[in-house]
């Protein structure tokens, strides 16, 4: 706008003077310019799909607190893995809903080589070898109290738990797990798992550390999914990180890096994007966010109420992880997101 036009319009200001002639909107003026300057993209390669496994055959059991997600028997999980691989999803993360009668004080079922989680891994890797299988090695699906560690006199004992999960990690790797992802937050677990895997000849099995796992209320629907909701006494604050603490979270992740973690994870996701960025900048390791059950269910519930544009909100949350420095996202939206991306909506 020249000064003549400006005068005519009667503005009391001159935007070119204010901005020094820099106008941000020039790069936003058309779809083609916006595509040209786009910094972050979500692709199917960014997606890890968490799935829930139950005993039995041909079971597909909807989870009330997670509309659109179900628990699947191993045979159905194999079909789901095939579908995910066909969509181009690189990896699955598996979580078992173990029979209540097999759960005990120490989670001893995790040390049974042919347990539910290991049977699922073996079946998936046999039928769909090209998809990565990431197994959680925490005790909570196996304990009668729903804690991630062994409970002795009201205390979650660290070192005994680490010993047990390191041995369980070897069994998971024996079953074919490609990456072990310990979510229990015990001290020293990454180093212990690395030593145990290496001693068993599993040098190629990686460790994705749930490096910064916060004592969060967002895990609620997951606990229904794996049947620990009614079991858990107390909370997990003696081992998960206080949601108030970012500096401590970076220190904790640093220990995991020193102990040999190959990849880092931040959990939950959306409320912790600052931690994603901090870890990526501090360590430069492949960094993942876990968009947990409560985050999923909030978006679903709002969509079912007609309050939001479901697809756009979902894709925007996933994109935000990429912008925050993440290399990928564990998300229950993975298959839906993969389809949208394939349709050019990503
Ligand atoms: C526990 C574990 C949790 C999740 C996965 N493994 C949290 C918990 O129950 O304390 C949460 C996943 C989700 O909420 O989607 N080892």
């Amino acid at each position: 706008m020249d000064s003549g036009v400006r005068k005519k319009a009667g503005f009391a200001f001159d935007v070119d003077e204010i901005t020094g002639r820099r106008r941000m909107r020039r790069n936003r003026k058309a779809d083609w310019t916006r595509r040209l300057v786009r910094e972050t993209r979500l692709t199917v390669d960014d997606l890890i799909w968490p799935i829930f496994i139950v005993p039995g055959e041909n079971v597909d059991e909807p989870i009330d607190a997670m509309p659109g997600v179900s628990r699947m028997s191993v045979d159905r999980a194999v079909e789901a893995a095939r579908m995910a691989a066909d969509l181009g999803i690189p990896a699955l993360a598996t979580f078992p809903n173990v029979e209540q009668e097999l759960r005990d004080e120490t989670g001893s079922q995790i040390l049974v080589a042919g347990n539910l989680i290991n049977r699922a891994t073996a079946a998936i890797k046999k039928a769909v070898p090209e998809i990565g299988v990431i197994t959680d090695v925490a005790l909570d699906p196996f304990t009668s109290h729903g804690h991630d560690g062994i409970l002795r006199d009201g205390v979650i004992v660290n070192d005994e738990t680490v010993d047990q999960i390191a041995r369980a990690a070897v069994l998971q790797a024996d079953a074919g797990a490609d990456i072990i992802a310990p979510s229990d937050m015990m001290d020293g677990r990454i180093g212990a798992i690395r030593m145990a895997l290496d001693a068993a000849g599993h040098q190629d099995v990686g460790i994705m550390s749930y490096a910064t796992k916060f004592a969060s209320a967002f895990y609620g629907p997951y606990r229904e999914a794996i049947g620990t909701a009614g079991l858990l006494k107390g909370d997990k604050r003696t081992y998960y990180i206080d949601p108030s603490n970012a500096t401590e979270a970076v220190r904790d992740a640093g220990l995991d890096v020193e102990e040999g973690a190959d990849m880092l994870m931040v959990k939950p996701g959306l409320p912790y994007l600052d931690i994603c960025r901090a870890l990526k900048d501090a360590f430069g390791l492949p960094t993942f966010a876990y968009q947990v059950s409560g985050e999923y269910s909030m978006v679903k519930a709002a969509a079912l109420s007609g309050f939001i544009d479901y697809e756009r909100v979902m894709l925007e949350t996933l994109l935000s992880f990429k912008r925050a420095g993440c290399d990928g996202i564990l998300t229950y939206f993975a298959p839906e997101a993969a389809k949208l991306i394939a349709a050019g909506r990503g």
Side-chain angles (χ1 to χ4, degrees):
M1 217 185 252
D2 64 31
S3 55
V5 177
R6 212 159 38 234
K7 269 202 198 102
K8 226 186 285 161
F11 298 144
F13 49 82
D14 178 339
V15 169
D16 285 322
E17 210 168 84
I18 292 169
T19 63
R21 298 183 201 291
R22 283 126 187 117
R23 287 188 179 246
M24 296 302 290
R25 293 183 54 192
R26 279 196 282 263
N27 289 345
R28 299 175 193 151
K29 69 182 171 187
D31 180 62
W32 68 266
T33 53
R34 292 192 291 273
R35 282 193 284 129
L36 207 55
V37 302
R38 193 155 291 152
E39 299 172 36
T40 310
R41 276 193 169 77
L42 180 70
T43 79
V44 71
D45 297 334
D46 302 320
L47 303 172
I48 297 172
W49 186 27
I51 59 170
F52 298 106
I53 316 282
V54 279
E57 242 176 81
N58 202 23
V59 182
D60 189 293
E61 207 172 74
I63 299 163
D64 291 342
M66 301 180 73
V69 176
S70 45
R71 307 178 191 91
M72 295 175 278
S73 50
V74 170
D75 53 326
R76 298 293 285 265
V78 167
E79 286 172 22
R82 176 80 270 152
M83 182 264 288
D86 290 346
L87 285 169
I89 293 172
L92 303 175
T94 52
F95 298 92
N97 184 342
V98 174
E99 295 96 315
Q100 294 290 340
E101 60 272 20
L102 294 179
R103 303 187 192 198
D104 60 22
E105 282 282 301
T106 63
S108 62
Q109 178 66 203
I110 202 171
L111 293 178
V112 173
N115 65 17
L116 181 58
I117 192 74
N118 293 339
R119 288 200 306 277
T121 301
I124 291 169
K125 289 305 297 188
K126 184 164 176 234
V128 195
E130 70 272 26
I131 202 159
V133 172
I134 302 172
T135 52
D136 185 350
V137 76
L139 294 183
D140 59 300
F142 304 95
T143 54
S144 49
H145 42 72
H147 278 290
D148 297 21
I150 295 172
L151 188 61
R152 299 237 182 259
D153 301 324
V155 175
I156 300 298
V157 290
N158 192 89
D159 302 12
E160 192 182 344
T161 301
V162 170
D163 177 70
Q164 182 148 318
I165 62 175
R167 284 187 284 140
V170 172
L171 297 177
Q172 293 185 350
D174 289 345
D178 299 291
I179 294 179
I180 306 294
S183 71
D184 55 284
M185 292 301 282
M186 297 299 124
D187 287 320
R189 72 209 189 291
I190 300 300
I193 291 170
R194 186 70 271 157
M195 285 168 71
L197 289 174
D198 290 350
H202 288 302
Q203 272 78 8
D204 289 340
V205 174
I207 302 178
M208 176 190 285
S209 170
Y210 283 69
T212 63
K213 183 166 182 186
F214 291 87
S216 169
F218 283 91
Y219 309 139
Y222 165 93
R223 292 182 187 168
E224 185 204 310
I226 65 153
T228 59
L231 303 177
L232 189 63
K233 304 257 172 346
D235 55 49
K236 301 192 176 184
R237 288 175 220 232
T238 70
Y239 43 105
Y240 293 177
I241 303 172
D242 185 331
S244 303
N245 296 355
T247 310
E248 179 190 333
V250 175
R251 269 188 70 213
D252 202 329
L255 292 174
D256 290 358
V257 174
E258 283 169 32
E259 290 174 30
D262 300 289
M263 303 174 177
L264 299 174
M265 190 210 294
V266 174
K267 179 181 181 182
L270 224 44
Y272 297 88
L273 291 180
D274 56 330
I275 310 295
C276 297
R277 171 53 65 197
L279 297 198
K280 190 64 187 179
D281 289 349
F283 307 112
L285 258 66
T287 302
F288 296 83
Y290 195 146
Q291 183 177 48
V292 300
S293 56
E295 300 176 67
Y296 170 87
S297 296
M298 286 197 310
V299 173
K300 274 283 174 181
L304 289 169
S305 298
F307 295 156
I308 56 170
D309 179 332
Y310 173 64
E311 294 181 354
R312 289 188 57 209
V313 168
M314 177 222 297
L315 291 169
E316 192 173 324
T317 63
L318 294 172
L319 183 68
S320 74
F321 293 112
K322 297 294 308 274
R323 198 188 60 242
C326 288
D327 298 278
I329 310 110
L330 289 94
T331 176
Y332 302 99
F333 293 125
E336 282 181 275
K339 286 176 199 158
L340 290 172
I341 292 166
R345 292 278 316 272

